[in-house]
């Protein structure tokens, strides 16, 4: 019996080995290039029993090296980069989709960058077209998305770049860095909303994107490119009179906006009192503007958000650019320190027109019987380094420094001769002197380290420094002297203003992908501040101001943390965020919660909708004075006596896409503001700014519409905004009655047209119309002797009860790129006209005494003069750029 068992065992083993030998003969395949199907046909021709469906085979090309293998060994090698597997059956080997692979979820992640310069692309759209999954790259070009395993079609797009498409196979979490090539043949889109992107990503990001190349086509005052000129053409965004007064978003004040430069708050936004911004277009990569649906990572202000990103510098080629406008000279240098690993960027701008302004002002004053001159100097510098830190990290160091130095003085004297009642010829002199100076400057620095912790987790650490130093003085005297007997009388008012802000902070920002349906963004920050506000006005000369007592210093500490969850359920997209902020100064401590809620989605195939609720808190305040006539804005902190300002906003929006190149958007909003502070009327003479405050509330609401064409030979937009903004303060201001905000613009119309004249030439025209700003016109003016009392004080029946004339202006700019084929030199020239039909838009009215002959002697009357910025002016700028090719600073 035992012998029979051994016999059966030997027969079974022998049969099995024989069957295997029959099913798995060693097969020789010659080397060459095969498709997968061709390789399988060759195996079957050599006797392998293989079954498959041709429609399931990918069209990949395989390079084979001649070898002898069994059929199963060949399939292991041929199917290793596919979503297919095989099973052994009665008919041989059966190739079929790998069900286990398709059931698993993997993460695709990486960086999106410019293939020419290496610049990280912010807000690039990355999609898996077959899986209908998508995302956008963050502020550092990082993207991540999850999907099932197997083969997918990857597509990456960015405005002004050629789309990148490739087939990928996910068998594990995979890092793929995407490099997009600029498409210089396509006309640039001037400005676009982030939500107008592709795929699901457009429903999560809610800002409006402004890029470097878009701004260069618009031109600006005397040829000075300024990103804010383009931002002010957007619906819901205005400025003060003729650009003076910063940027105002949906009825908020200029100091209510959060301005970030590489993530660091900036307290001084403008040069030349607001004529152009501190942002040099040569240093800017992109600006994101948020009016509503503000992400939870932004906090500290109750207005809009202007998130400015500077360029990193070219990682592959050295470039030098020089240029000039009628206002300033500019230079920019960039290039690799180590090719592909690290780079630098340096830009500088100097206001060379200072000497011309001085000579022009001297001649202008002389023509009007005055002596004096005005001088103005401006410079700013941007510097940036970036260095790769390991395989998953990068370090950035960015620094900005800028300074404005303005002085203006004038003197004139009227002489009047008149017979007295006694018949004596009397001679009178009426000298008038004006002197003012303003000096202000920003320093902003950031040291950042970002790291890809895993395929789903990205983090950025930031150490920041921001400093604003401002000082201004003014002195005005009106005198009257009787030459015959030496009698003298007069009045004098003067002021001395200083403000210093320093902020040092540390922050962390994290981003975690939770699959295709949701993501989490979270972070925390701590900021140490120092404020030294001081505003003194009096009826004595400036050199008599006491200097023994310096301004009071405030040192508040700010702690903040936030989290935001985004995702979608079917066609309903959401972003739910919460920000917690604690502000501590002296005996004051304020803790606030700021929820941020946004829902959006497609209403039809051509209509998208969005609803949002934002609650924002601002623990710093900007006090502005319109009495002394020169910039005297004070940044002051919330203290035990001054609570932070709070503003909830509700907003809704519909976007209609009738065609791929057209879009129509209408939005409505309502926002209230509590905890506002302002100077009390007629009280700007105290030495303690806290004693001069009036407290109040505000509200703003409006309707914004815009029609945009974003591609084609003619593109641009037409927008109309109907809005209202008003304030209500305590009895110290306007007797407690509600009054319109100074920059309340009931009607605003913006038209921007860009005509592509040729491959390298565009003609841009912009026209804007705004309701005149609200103004407090004096009805009674009284004066006091020089030795006591208050200076001239305007009294009004109603605050801001007078409307200036409407503000409107047309600008034209012709932009041309000049370069020869394969040349390392490129040229760009802009010519145009600013204020084409010479509209004299007033920025304010000034009262000046004029002496005339009266019945009993000279009489003085205060006359109103309209002050405006610029008449019709030509604009001109030129830029030359030289590229030296792909060498680093060491010549390698």
């Amino acid at each position: 019996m035992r012998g029979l068992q051994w016999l059966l065992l030997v027969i079974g083993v022998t049969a099995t080995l024989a069957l295997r030998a029959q099913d798995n003969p060693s097969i020789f395949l010659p080397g060459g290039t095969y498709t997968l199907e061709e390789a399988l046909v060759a195996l079957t021709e050599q006797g392998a029993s293989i079954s498959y469906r041709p429609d399931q085979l990918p069209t990949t090309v395989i390079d084979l090296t001649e070898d002898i293998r069994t059929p199963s060994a060949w399939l292991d090698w041929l199917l290793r980069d596919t979503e297919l597997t095989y099973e052994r059956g009665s008919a041989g080997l059966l190739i079929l989709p790998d069900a286990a692979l398709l059931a698993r979820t993997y993460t695709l992640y990486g960086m999106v960058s410019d293939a020419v310069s290496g610049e990280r692309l912010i807000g690039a759209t990355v999609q898996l077209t077959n899986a209908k999954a998508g995302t956008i790259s963050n502020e550092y070009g990082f993207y991540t998305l999850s999907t099932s395993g197997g083969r997918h079609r990857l597509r990456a797009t960015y405005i002004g770049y050629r789309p990148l498409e490739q087939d990928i196979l996910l068998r594990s979490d995979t890092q793929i860095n995407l490099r997009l090539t600029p498409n210089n043949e396509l006309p640039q889109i001037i400005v676009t909303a982030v939500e107008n992107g592709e795929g699901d990503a457009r429903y999560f990001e809610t800002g409006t994107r402004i890029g470097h190349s878009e701004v260069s086509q618009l031109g600006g005052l005397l040829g000075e490119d300024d990103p804010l000129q383009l931002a002010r053409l957007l619906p819901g965004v205005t400025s003060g009179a003729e650009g003076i007064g910063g940027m105002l978003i949906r009825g908020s004040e200029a100091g209510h906006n959060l301005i970030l430069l590489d993530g660091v708050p900036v307290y001084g936004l403008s040069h030349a009192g607001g004529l152009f911004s501190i942002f040099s277009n040569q240093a800017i990569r992109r600006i994101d503007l948020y009016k509503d649906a503000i992400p939870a990572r932004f906090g500290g202000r109750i207005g809009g958000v202007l998130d400015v990103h500077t360029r990193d510098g070219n990682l592959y080629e050295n470039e030098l650019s020089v240029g000039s406008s009628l206002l300033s000279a500019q230079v920019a240098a960039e290039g690799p320190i180590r090719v592909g690993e690290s780079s630098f960027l340096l830009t500088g701008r100097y206001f060379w027109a200072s000497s011309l302004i001085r000579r022009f002002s001297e001649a202008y004053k002389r023509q009007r019987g005055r002596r004096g001159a005005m001088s103005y100097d401006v410079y700013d510098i941007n510097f940036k380094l970036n260095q790769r830190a390991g395989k998953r990290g990068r370090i950035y160091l960015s620094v900005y420094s800028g300074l404005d130095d303005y002085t203006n003085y004038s003197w004139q004297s009227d002489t009047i001769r008149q017979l007295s009642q006694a018949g004596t010829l009397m001679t009178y002199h009426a000298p008038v002197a004006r002197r003012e100076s303003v000096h202000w400057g920003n320093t902003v620095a950031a040291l950042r380290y970002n790291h890809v912790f895993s395929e789903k987790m990205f983090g950025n650490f930031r150490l920041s420094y921001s400093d604003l130093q401002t000082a201004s003085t003014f002195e005005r005297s009106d005198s009257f002297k009787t030459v015959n007997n030496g009698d003298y009388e007069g009045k004098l008012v003067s002021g001395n203003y200083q403000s210093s802000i320093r902020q040092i902070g540390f922050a962390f920002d994290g981003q975690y992908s939770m699959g295709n349906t949701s993501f989490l963004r979270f972070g925390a920050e701590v900021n140490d501040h120092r404020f030294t506000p001081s505003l003194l006005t009096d009826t004595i000369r400036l050199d008599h101001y006491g200097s023994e007592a310096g301004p009071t210093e405030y040192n508040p500490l700010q702690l903040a943390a936030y989290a935001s969850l985004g995702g979608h359920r079917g066609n309903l997209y959401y972003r739910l965020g919460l920000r917690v902020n604690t502000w501590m100064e002296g005996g004051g401590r304020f803790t606030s919660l700021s929820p941020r809620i946004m829902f959006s989605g497609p209403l039809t195939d051509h209509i998208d909708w969005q609803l949002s609720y934002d609650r924002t808190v601002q623990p710093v305040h900007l006090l502005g004075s319109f009495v002394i006539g020169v910039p005297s804005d004070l940044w002051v902190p919330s203290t035990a006596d001054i609570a932070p300002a709070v503003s909830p906003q509700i907003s809704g929006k519909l976007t209609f896409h009738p065609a791929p190149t057209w879009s129509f958007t209408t939005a409505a909003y309502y926002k209230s503001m509590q905890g506002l502070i302002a100077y009390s009327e007629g009280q700007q003479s105290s030495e303690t700014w806290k004693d001069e405050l009036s407290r109040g509330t505000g509200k703003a609401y409006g309707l914004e519409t815009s029609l945009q064409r974003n591609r084609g030979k003619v593109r641009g937009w037409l927008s109309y905004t109907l809005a209202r903004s008003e304030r209500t303060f305590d009895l110290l201001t306007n007797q407690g009655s509600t009054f319109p905000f100074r920059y309340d613009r009931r009607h605003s119309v913006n038209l921007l047209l860009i005509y592509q004249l040729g491959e390298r030439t565009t003609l841009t025209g912009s026209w804007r119309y705004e309701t005149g700003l609200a103004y407090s016109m004096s009805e009674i003016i009284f004066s006091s002797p020089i030795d006591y009392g208050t200076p001239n004080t305007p009294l009004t029946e109603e605050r801001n009860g007078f409307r200036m004339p409407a503000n409107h202006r047309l600008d034209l700019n012709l932009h041309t790129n000049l370069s020869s084929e394969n040349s390392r030199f490129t040229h760009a020239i802009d010519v145009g006209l600013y204020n084409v039909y010479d509209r004299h838009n007033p920025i304010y009215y000034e009262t000046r005494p004029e002496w005339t002959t009266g019945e009993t002697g000279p009489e003085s009357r205060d006359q109103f003069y309209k002050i405006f910025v610029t008449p019709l002016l030509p604009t001109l700028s030129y830029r030359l750029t030289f590229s030296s090719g792909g060498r680093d600073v060491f010549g390698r």
Side-chain angles (χ1 to χ4, degrees):
M1 191 65 179
R2 181 179 296 270
L4 180 60
Q5 290 178 344
W6 278 106
L7 178 61
L8 293 176
L9 178 60
V10 170
I11 293 173
V13 170
T14 304
T16 301
L17 292 175
L19 181 61
R20 264 186 201 178
Q22 183 178 2
D23 290 345
N24 295 298
S26 294
I27 295 176
F28 170 78
L29 286 182
T33 301
Y34 298 79
T35 66
L36 179 57
E37 185 174 6
E38 290 172 343
L40 294 177
V41 169
L43 288 175
T44 57
E45 290 176 348
Q46 295 294 326
S49 298
I50 302 175
S51 300
Y52 58 89
R53 285 176 50 181
D55 62 324
Q56 292 181 339
L57 301 180
T59 58
T60 54
V61 177
I62 304 169
D63 292 325
L64 287 180
T65 303
E66 64 178 38
D67 199 357
I68 299 176
R69 305 185 185 188
T70 64
S72 58
W74 276 117
L75 290 184
D76 288 337
W77 192 84
L78 292 172
L79 303 180
R80 72 191 191 281
D81 292 330
T82 72
E83 67 272 31
L84 303 174
T85 187
Y86 67 91
E87 295 179 355
R88 190 180 303 276
S90 58
L93 302 176
L94 174 63
I95 297 177
L96 69 165
D98 188 347
L101 175 65
L102 300 179
R104 295 190 185 99
T105 299
Y106 299 104
T107 300
L108 177 68
Y109 66 101
M111 296 289 179
V112 187
S113 62
D114 184 310
V116 176
S117 67
E119 290 270 354
R120 302 290 177 85
L121 298 183
I122 306 168
T125 301
V126 182
Q127 293 176 282
L128 297 175
T129 55
N130 60 312
K132 296 183 179 180
T135 187
I136 63 173
S137 57
N138 68 7
E139 299 92 314
Y140 296 92
F142 175 77
Y143 78 93
T144 178
L145 55 88
S146 299
T147 189
S148 61
R151 189 167 297 276
H152 297 278
R153 186 67 173 173
L154 175 65
R155 175 180 171 87
T157 58
Y158 192 76
I159 295 173
Y161 288 76
R162 293 188 179 94
L164 173 66
E165 294 193 29
Q166 64 184 70
D167 289 320
I168 63 171
L169 175 68
L170 289 181
R171 281 187 168 274
S172 62
D173 296 332
T174 305
Q175 178 177 357
I176 299 180
N177 294 325
L178 305 172
R179 299 180 64 190
L180 305 186
T181 303
N183 190 350
N184 297 324
E185 297 177 358
L186 285 177
Q188 295 289 330
I189 297 175
I190 289 300
V191 69
T192 183
V194 175
E195 63 264 25
N196 288 339
E198 300 183 49
D200 295 345
R202 71 176 188 255
Y203 299 115
F204 294 122
E205 290 297 327
T206 51
T208 301
R209 175 187 307 164
I210 300 172
H212 161 84
S213 57
E214 292 89 334
V215 175
S216 65
Q217 299 179 50
L218 185 63
L221 177 63
L222 296 176
E224 194 69 26
D225 292 346
D226 185 1
L228 293 194
Q229 291 292 338
L230 189 55
R232 289 170 181 150
L233 288 171
L234 296 171
V237 182
T238 62
S239 68
E242 195 67 5
I244 304 296
M247 185 175 66
L248 305 125
I249 299 176
R250 288 188 169 179
S252 297
E253 301 171 20
H256 290 164
N257 299 321
L258 177 63
I259 313 297
L260 297 172
L261 182 61
D262 285 336
V264 184
V266 178
Y267 289 92
L269 178 62
S270 302
H271 286 307
L275 288 180
F276 57 98
S277 74
I278 65 172
F279 304 123
S280 169
N281 198 40
Q282 296 303 308
I284 299 305
R285 178 63 181 177
R286 164 177 160 172
I287 295 177
D288 289 334
L289 174 67
Y290 296 87
K291 298 181 294 183
D292 56 16
I294 299 173
R297 66 182 181 271
F298 300 121
R301 302 292 187 274
I302 62 173
V305 177
L306 200 70
D307 191 17
V308 182
H309 306 272
T310 60
R311 296 171 52 228
D312 296 338
N314 199 313
L315 282 167
Y316 304 107
E317 293 187 357
N318 290 301
E319 289 187 1
L320 176 65
S321 176
V322 294
S324 179
S325 69
L326 296 179
L327 277 176
S328 67
Q330 308 103 28
V331 62
E334 61 181 300
I337 300 174
R338 186 180 297 272
V339 175
E341 298 287 329
S342 56
S343 65
F344 75 94
L345 172 70
L346 176 65
T347 70
R349 180 169 55 172
Y350 178 71
F351 194 70
W352 61 264
S354 176
S355 59
L356 295 179
I357 290 177
R358 182 177 182 85
R359 289 197 293 267
F360 175 81
S361 65
E362 287 177 340
Y364 181 84
K365 293 176 187 291
R366 191 163 47 247
Q367 290 175 0
R368 284 156 179 76
R370 302 198 298 268
R371 297 201 303 265
M374 180 178 69
S375 65
Y376 190 65
D377 290 293
V378 179
Y379 81 84
D380 54 30
I381 296 173
N382 286 275
F383 177 69
K384 191 170 186 179
L385 288 174
N386 89 90
Q387 170 67 54
R388 182 178 177 183
K391 294 183 179 180
R392 294 193 168 197
R394 187 164 286 274
I395 299 174
Y396 297 88
L397 172 65
S398 55
V399 179
Y400 166 83
S401 180
L403 179 68
D404 288 64
D405 190 356
Y406 161 83
T407 59
N408 188 16
Y409 69 93
S410 66
W411 182 90
Q412 72 178 85
S413 180
D414 297 329
T415 300
I416 300 174
R417 292 180 174 86
Q418 182 177 355
L419 288 174
S420 66
Q421 293 181 351
T424 304
L425 179 64
M426 303 294 293
T427 302
Y428 305 92
H429 288 319
V432 177
R434 300 284 189 271
R435 179 161 62 97
E436 57 192 24
S437 66
V438 188
H439 313 276
W440 74 95
N442 283 289
T443 300
V444 178
L447 178 63
R448 294 169 293 161
Y449 171 69
N450 63 61
H451 185 78
V452 180
F453 291 96
S454 69
E455 65 278 359
K456 295 184 177 182
M457 175 69 181
F458 177 88
N460 180 68
F461 301 87
R462 183 184 70 246
L463 182 64
S464 62
Y465 175 85
S466 181
D467 181 81
L468 173 67
Q469 300 289 334
T470 308
S472 68
T473 60
F474 75 96
E475 187 174 84
R476 300 177 182 178
S477 63
D478 301 308
S479 305
F480 183 74
K481 182 178 182 180
T482 305
V483 177
N484 303 66
N485 56 21
D487 291 342
Y488 174 85
E489 62 177 321
K491 54 188 177 182
L492 181 147
V493 60
S494 61
N496 186 352
Y497 154 75
Q498 295 181 13
S499 181
S500 171
I501 308 169
R502 184 219 62 196
Q503 177 177 329
I504 299 175
F506 178 77
F508 170 76
D509 178 49
Q511 183 174 334
Y512 182 74
S513 173
M514 303 170 67
N516 277 344
T517 58
S518 59
F519 62 88
L520 179 66
R521 187 142 188 184
F522 58 95
E525 61 181 298
V526 56
N527 293 291
D528 178 75
H529 301 80
R530 183 187 66 192
F531 292 81
T532 54
S534 172
L535 175 60
L536 306 177
T537 61
D538 212 328
T539 55
I540 61 175
R541 297 193 177 278
L542 282 175
D543 53 12
H544 291 171
Y545 277 87
S547 59
E548 64 278 359
T552 303
E553 183 175 299
Y554 301 86
N555 296 102
L557 181 67
Q558 182 183 25
L559 304 173
Y562 66 90
S564 179
L565 177 66
H568 69 93
R569 296 284 184 180
N571 286 333
L572 177 63
Y573 294 79
Y574 60 87
R575 194 182 65 218
L576 309 176
L578 179 65
R579 185 178 183 89
V580 182
N581 184 81
T582 297
W583 179 269
M584 296 174 285
E585 199 292 315
R589 180 189 180 104
F590 303 95
T591 298
S592 58
L593 298 178
S594 299
R596 313 286 174 84
I597 302 172
M598 187 273 293
F599 294 101
S600 63
L603 193 62
T604 68
D605 290 340
H606 300 285
I607 300 177
D608 295 331
W609 64 274
Q610 176 187 293
L611 290 173
S612 65
Y613 170 80
D614 302 313
R615 186 180 190 269
T616 51
V617 179
Q618 179 165 336
V620 298
H621 305 268
L622 183 61
L623 286 170
S625 169
F626 301 104
V627 173
I628 65 176
V630 295
S632 59
D633 294 340
L634 286 178
W635 283 100
V636 300
S638 292
T639 65
D641 302 324
I642 304 173
V646 178
S647 176
Q649 177 182 219
I650 299 175
S651 179
K653 179 166 59 176
L654 289 175
T655 302
F656 175 50
H657 303 278
T661 60
W662 288 88
S663 65
F664 176 78
T665 301
T666 180
Y669 67 91
Y670 178 87
K671 66 186 302 182
S672 62
M673 293 164 274
Q674 295 87 39
L676 303 181
I677 62 172
Y679 288 121
S680 304
E681 293 177 349
Q683 297 296 317
Q684 286 87 351
S685 60
S686 170
E687 294 189 2
T688 304
W689 59 269
K690 292 177 66 175
D691 296 338
E692 306 174 359
L693 299 182
S694 180
R695 292 163 172 80
T697 62
K699 62 180 178 180
Y701 49 92
L703 178 68
E704 303 166 355
T705 59
S706 65
L707 177 66
Q708 181 179 11
R709 189 181 190 213
N710 53 24
R711 289 187 184 275
K713 198 161 188 175
V714 179
R715 56 200 188 277
W717 70 78
L718 172 65
S719 70
Y720 168 72
T721 302
L722 174 65
R724 186 164 188 168
S725 181
E726 55 190 27
R727 304 289 187 266
T728 304
F729 280 79
D730 53 32
L731 294 176
L732 297 176
T733 299
N734 204 44
Q735 299 180 349
S737 299
T738 300
F739 59 92
F741 175 48
R742 178 176 174 84
Y743 297 114
D744 170 49
R745 306 286 196 184
R746 194 62 47 84
H747 305 281
S748 298
V749 180
N750 292 312
L751 175 65
L752 177 66
L753 291 177
I754 304 94
Y755 180 57
Q756 195 78 28
L757 293 174
E759 182 179 345
R760 299 171 180 168
T761 304
T762 57
L763 176 64
T764 302
S766 63
W767 182 77
R768 67 200 73 195
Y769 171 92
E770 296 175 328
T771 300
L773 59 83
Y775 199 76
S776 296
M777 182 65 72
S778 300
E779 294 182 341
I780 302 174
I781 296 181
F782 70 90
S783 61
S784 301
I786 189 171
D787 296 327
Y788 63 92
T790 60
N792 287 359
T793 304
L795 302 180
T796 60
E797 288 187 357
E798 184 179 355
R799 179 76 172 262
N800 293 344
F802 172 76
R803 286 280 178 179
M804 285 189 176
N807 185 311
H808 51 90
R809 190 183 76 237
L810 172 66
D811 302 329
L812 296 174
N813 185 69
L814 184 70
H815 176 80
T816 304
N817 288 318
L818 305 171
S819 62
S820 58
E821 189 174 357
N822 299 323
S823 174
R824 294 191 179 277
F825 292 90
T826 59
H827 312 257
I829 187 170
D830 288 82
V831 293
L833 292 174
Y834 183 89
N835 195 3
V836 171
Y837 49 85
D838 197 25
R839 170 74 175 179
H840 290 187
N841 293 307
I843 59 174
Y844 67 92
Y845 291 93
E846 183 177 271
T847 58
R848 298 174 185 170
E850 289 190 356
W851 293 88
T852 58
T853 301
E855 295 181 359
T856 60
E859 295 181 354
S860 172
R861 292 182 180 178
D862 287 305
Q863 299 294 328
F864 286 94
Y865 287 84
K866 181 171 66 175
I867 307 300
F868 63 94
V869 178
T870 55
L872 166 66
L873 290 175
T875 65
L876 174 65
S877 67
Y878 172 78
R879 180 164 296 278
L880 170 65
T881 302
F882 170 73
S883 175
S884 65
R887 290 179 175 269
D888 60 28
V889 296
F890 303 107
R892 293 171 296 199

